[in-house]
Amino acid sequence: MNILEIKHLCKNFGNHSVIRGLDLSVPEHSVFGFVGQNGAGKTTTMKMILGLLKPDSGDIVVHGEKVSYGERKSNVSIGYLPDVPEFYGYMNPMEYLKLCGEIAGISNSKIKNRSEELISLVGLEKVNRRISGFSRGMKQRLGIAQALFNEPSLLICDEPTSALDPIGRKEILDILSAIKGKTTVIFSTHILSDVERICDHVALLHDGKLALCGTLSDIKKKHRHNGFVIEFAKADDAESFMDCEELKSPEITAKKDKNTITIKVLDIKKDGQFLIALLAKKKITPIKFEIMEPTLENLFMEAIQ
Amino acid sequence: MRNYFIFLKKEIIESIRTYKLLIMLIVFFVFGMMSPLTAKLLPEIFSSFTTEGITISITNPTAIDSWTQFFKNISQMGLIVMVILFHGILATELSKGTLINMLTKGLSRSTVILSKFTSMAIVWTLSYMLAFIVCLGYTVYLFPGDQTSNLLFSVFCLWLFGMFLLSVLLFASTLIKNNYGPLLITGGVVAVLTACNMASTIQKYNPSSLASKNVALLTRAVKPSNLFYAVLTSVICILIMVGSSITIFRKKQL
């Protein structure tokens, strides 16, 4: 079942159109990577899902319920982490979470349990000072805690990892993948390695439309080129392998770059055997021999062009 | 309704912890105390300046002088301090984005407006009451036996004018997203109302009469019934301002 469905969504700011007919569906219990350049319209789309911005046309359905601008009904099942989460600086984290719980209409005893649970999930249990002294990373963690407070079935995170240090980033990603079982996560980013790390579905927003959408493995499979990357210890080895007469058939294209040769073939199985045999015949031992995997970066560059 | 009280509590904690309430209380306490003292001491200060050959004759100060100082201080400096302290009550939350978290948790926008207005009203009322009680105490102590008429009504009028300003401030905050817009608009409204006071036909309905006729009420130069329409217009204006703040804020794209 799809937890979120977007149909023909359009949004203009003045005469600048940001979203032009976006169609998107997010299956339940997935970690959905929403990728796009700066200014592609990721935040705008998310705000429309939350009913904070008014779409010019199109439908957004969350949990089978249509989102209407300014209404709060659909928000009950959504948790939102803004790109730069800001809190009331004069409160401490526990007080802030209590306020969140009260606003969401959760009973007092449950608020206490839930606050403690979340505060340890995000690793802020030893922090008892006011939020005004928090670093960006700490605010990001508290942001996740508040977004998860009402046990949302859909968690929307707007660039949760940008501007964090590598350790903070890893921890945020770990938290997101830890809650995967209970909650569907949509997170926008322009850091592709984050997507590869935790997402199972991915969509690329470009020019106000989806340029690419599907499961990560499907996309990769679809765009895989048959080929091998062979890396040699010495440039001489690469040179002499490159010069082999056997490689000069029309089925095979080889490209050399320093110690590495990239070879595109028609049949992975047959030609792979052939290459290994050739290496053995020439008595060259490569230090790496692998099937070429498309990187997300290449895929996206391809999709955008 | 539940969320109204929760958010009101948050607003009040905010005014305590960001020292807004404290500043208001101190400023108004000082005004309450200074007014009778200045009234009492001013003639003595003047007489200490007199050199030979010049005689400044000053009539003995009365309770009216004390209240003149009080209404002058509060209606000018007091209200200015209040407006400056509260000018960012909505704009700061919108520009920082702190309100987004609350709204996405299911807090309704009209609740935000109503609880913010209530919290401002509470702070204003408390500070103003403090100033009044302190001033009353000192006045009775320094000028025993002096009579004043319509004191409570006169004090009420200035309070209502303060409420009117707060509603204008709130309304301006929903119109303009930046910090200074609300200040400018509120200042502009006061300037226009004061200018309107020149025309006697408008004066009758003008909310700013509530802040300018206070002493006249005490000396019975103005009857309370003369201000009936000004009170009525102010109450109607407050209701309209708060109502339209809610309507505008509900339609605002955040």
Side-chain angles (χ1 to χ4, degrees), chain B residues 59-116:
Chain B
T59 49
N60 270 345
T62 61
I64 296 290
D65 294 308
S66 162
W67 290 113
T68 309
Q69 291 289 332
F70 175 81
F71 285 115
K72 194 193 80 192
N73 284 335
I74 304 275
S75 68
Q76 294 171 7
M77 282 311 290
L79 289 179
I80 290 176
V81 169
M82 177 183 81
V83 169
I84 290 178
L85 275 181
F86 285 123
H87 77 280
I89 190 152
L90 198 61
T92 325
E93 291 226 35
L94 288 181
S95 58
K96 272 185 79 182
T98 43
L99 212 49
I100 299 284
N101 289 344
M102 297 292 122
L103 293 176
T104 53
K105 291 270 174 320
L107 183 67
S108 84
R109 297 185 180 203
S110 39
T111 309
V112 173
I113 294 294
L114 285 177
S115 37
K116 283 197 181 285

Side-chain angles (χ1 to χ4, degrees), chain A residues 112-152:
Chain A
K112 201 167 172 287
N113 293 337
R114 191 95 184 108
S115 305
E116 280 161 7
E117 193 182 308
L118 283 168
I119 227 90
S120 66
L121 174 75
V122 298
L124 287 175
E125 63 269 50
K126 284 182 195 121
V127 185
N128 219 354
R129 58 172 192 265
R130 287 188 182 172
I131 300 171
S132 54
F134 274 28
S135 68
R136 176 92 193 258
M138 288 162 90
K139 281 187 184 169
Q140 206 71 262
R141 287 151 190 262
L142 184 58
I144 292 189
Q146 63 84 22
L148 288 174
F149 205 95
N150 46 349
E151 298 181 309

Side-chain angles (χ1 to χ4, degrees), chain A residues 239-251:
Chain A
E239 194 89 24
S240 58
F241 188 67
M242 197 56 187
D243 291 339
C244 289
E245 283 301 315
E246 288 89 334
L247 285 181
K248 298 201 167 102
S249 83
E251 299 174 12

Side-chain angles (χ1 to χ4, degrees), chain B residues 4 13 21 25 70-71 83 97 102 129 136-137 160 206 239:
Chain B
Y4 167 75
I13 293 176
L21 181 63
L25 287 178
F70 175 81
F71 285 115
V83 169
M102 297 292 122
M129 251 167 55
L136 184 68
L160 191 63
N206 196 334
L239 292 178

Side-chain angles (χ1 to χ4, degrees), chain B residues 18 22 26 28 34 52 69 75 86 92 97 99 108 113 119 147 150 158 168-169 174 178 204-205 209 221 227-228 241:
Chain B
T18 55
L22 186 72
I26 290 176
F28 279 72
M34 287 283 289
E52 262 180 62
Q69 291 289 332
S75 68
F86 285 123
T92 325
L99 212 49
S108 84
I113 294 294
S119 81
Q147 290 296 313
N150 306 317
L158 185 52
V168 172
L169 188 67
T174 56
N178 74 34
K204 197 171 152 195
Y205 303 96
S209 310
L227 285 173
F228 172 75
M241 291 290 174

Side-chain angles (χ1 to χ4, degrees), chain B residues 123-139:
Chain B
V123 174
W124 156 240
T125 309
L126 280 182
S127 326
Y128 185 56
M129 251 167 55
L130 178 73
F132 170 63
I133 290 168
V134 171
C135 185
L136 184 68
Y138 269 92
T139 307

